[in-house]
Amino acid sequence: MDDDSRRVLDPERDPAALKALTHPLRLRLLGLLRLRGPATASELADRTGESSASTSYHLRVLAKHAFVAEAEHRDGRERRWKAVHSVTSWSNAAVLAAPGSRGLLETSRQRQLEHLRETVERHEADIATGRLGREWHEPSGISDLMPRLTPESLSELLDTVNAKLAELTARDADDPRAEQVVTVVAALPLASAEPAEGRAGGRPVQDPVTASGDGAAADGERGADGARAEGGAPLPEAGPTAGSATVREPRSGDDR
């Protein structure tokens, strides 16, 4: 990805900018501008169900912190806005260590979950109405895997997925058959419920209530469905509401 299309935030240097992204509507507005291109506050109000006064205010906040900027106007009557960058990233470790910055992780991840739900609904509707051809039926899906990995292996896995995503995105850039694909990978380690001495054969004892399964993909879907939401490409909008993962959360030390 071109460096000009990415903005890396540092909690020490950019605390106000980080705080600006803790508002869910600002994430939605930024997602819409990144996916659909320049728009006015009124157009964004129609797409989000908010008032134009509200979208206008939040756009000005985003502009104050250089996430959006004025775009070329179709006429002189209303200001149009555009996204300045296609990806925003930060170090999770730095954010967690910075006082008052943790809310950014919570807000962005909750919005990502909402975006995933919206994407599933739109995907199913597109299949049902025939807007997506049968060639998309087999490769689409959501995986639910629980491998045991070290921090180093998890980092290697995500780096591999991200590199492959970049390669395939570049390859398909001019292919007319290409469609927008929402790709999400949640890499969330879980601490063992048992102390080290309570593990059987060195393996943690899983809580059968919280364990997601035997490692097979959920709902019969196959694994490795896409790029990482935290540390991968920005997620696009799903339907009339903005895509959440306008924000990218790299692993600790990434993009530093």
Side-chain angles (χ1 to χ4, degrees):
M1 180 175 294
D2 191 323
D3 288 342
D4 291 339
S5 66
R6 173 184 297 167
R7 180 177 180 186
V8 182
L9 297 178
D10 185 302
E12 293 184 2
R13 296 195 306 266
D14 311 303
L18 282 165
K19 185 176 180 180
L21 291 181
T22 61
H23 196 289
L25 179 56
R26 291 174 200 153
L27 291 178
R28 296 180 67 190
L29 297 176
L30 192 52
L32 279 168
L33 293 175
R34 284 175 170 170
L35 181 67
R36 293 193 174 184
T40 66
S42 296
E43 291 169 342
L44 292 169
D46 289 340
R47 294 172 187 171
T48 60
E50 301 286 336
S51 69
S52 58
S54 178
T55 56
S56 179
Y57 167 75
H58 289 294
L59 285 166
R60 290 196 301 271
V61 174
L62 290 170
K64 178 181 178 181
H65 298 289
F67 292 108
V68 305
E70 285 193 52
E72 182 179 351
H73 295 197
R74 293 177 183 171
D75 53 50
R77 292 180 297 178
E78 189 170 8
R79 178 182 298 176
R80 296 181 66 76
W81 298 95
K82 65 179 181 180
V84 176
H85 308 93
S86 61
V87 173
T88 306
S89 63
W90 58 77
S91 162
N92 283 343
V95 168
L96 289 171
S101 296
R102 188 170 303 218
L104 175 59
L105 296 182
E106 297 172 355
T107 300
S108 64
R109 289 175 177 177
Q110 286 301 314
R111 182 60 195 137
Q112 286 168 340
L113 290 174
E114 293 172 6
H115 178 220
L116 179 58
R117 176 184 54 77
E118 294 161 0
T119 299
V120 169
E121 292 174 356
R122 175 171 171 179
H123 171 77
E124 292 176 346
D126 287 346
I127 291 289
T129 58
R131 287 193 294 269
L132 279 177
R134 294 183 62 86
E135 69 274 14
W136 291 103
H137 294 187
E138 182 63 25
S140 62
I142 300 175
S143 62
D144 181 16
L145 308 176
M146 294 189 67
R148 282 177 45 81
L149 300 173
T150 64
E152 295 77 15
S153 293
L154 179 55
S155 293
E156 181 179 344
L157 171 64
L158 298 175
D159 286 342
T160 301
V161 170
N162 292 334
K164 191 63 177 182
L165 176 64
E167 174 192 334
L168 297 177
T169 300
R171 188 183 74 182
D172 294 349
D174 299 321
D175 192 323
R177 299 173 303 140
E179 298 282 5
Q180 193 83 56
V181 178
V182 176
T183 52
V184 180
V185 170
L188 303 172
L190 302 176
S192 173
E194 300 291 335
E197 58 272 17
R199 300 182 182 184
R203 299 178 60 86
V205 179
Q206 281 192 332
D207 181 347
V209 175
T210 58
S212 70
D214 60 2
D219 299 327
E221 303 291 0
R222 60 188 183 182
D225 284 325
R228 185 187 183 200
E230 300 177 14
L235 300 184
E237 170 213 4
T241 57
S244 73
T246 56
V247 178
R248 173 179 176 273
E249 300 175 47
R251 68 181 189 280
S252 300
D254 190 16
D255 288 339
R256 297 290 289 168

